[in-house]
Amino acid sequence: HVQLVESGGGLVQAGGSLRLSCAVSGNIFSSDIWEWYRQAPGKQRELVATITSGISTNVNGRFTISRDNAKNMVYLQIDSLKPEDSAVYYCAVDQVVNIEGATIRTWGQGTQVTVSA
């Protein structure tokens, strides 16, 4: 069982930067896939970055995901913020649960990011 708690959201002016944090507790494994999603009002939740085994994938060049294994933390650095980046940002982890490779996704509660023009 794993728990995720996001923090670091807030109100920021366009052009600024934020670093979101995700504190991880519980059973984690080297094969886990860590992700950041966001969801704006009236829109579907969308993937913005993933990281696993040290390999990261960022959907947008302004987003950078990283992980500190020693601190059990996952981060999302967002640079050159735009008003359209305003959303609730969620940390998530995909974990394999059986030998067939089935996975389960655990979500954090989200942190609000609001970017003013």
Side-chain angles (χ1 to χ4, degrees):
H1 181 66
V2 62
Q3 291 184 321
L4 310 174
V5 179
E6 301 96 330
S7 61
L11 175 63
V12 63
Q13 287 189 330
S17 298
L18 274 179
R19 188 177 79 157
L20 307 182
S21 300
C22 176
V24 180
S25 61
N27 296 325
I28 58 176
F29 307 93
S30 60
S31 59
D32 293 345
I33 301 174
W34 299 90
E35 302 154 328
W36 282 96
Y37 287 78
R38 69 180 182 183
Q39 187 168 22
K43 295 187 177 181
Q44 288 189 330
R45 193 169 297 188
E46 61 176 353
L47 179 68
V48 297
T50 68
I51 189 168
T52 183
S53 302
I55 300 173
S56 62
T57 302
N58 305 304
V59 173
N60 186 306
R62 296 184 294 109
F63 296 81
T64 304
I65 188 172
S66 62
R67 184 177 170 193
D68 186 329
N69 293 330
K71 296 182 178 179
N72 280 344
M73 297 290 292
V74 182
Y75 303 102
L76 182 69
Q77 177 73 31
I78 314 174
D79 298 317
S80 303
L81 278 156
K82 304 176 180 180
E84 51 264 42
D85 293 324
S86 298
V88 178
Y89 284 74
Y90 297 91
C91 179
V93 60
D94 291 342
Q95 297 180 298
V96 176
V97 296
N98 61 32
I99 60 172
E100 286 81 21
T103 60
I104 186 170
R105 178 172 294 158
T106 302
W107 296 94
Q109 84 289 350
T111 185
Q112 176 72 49
V113 171
T114 303
V115 184
S116 62

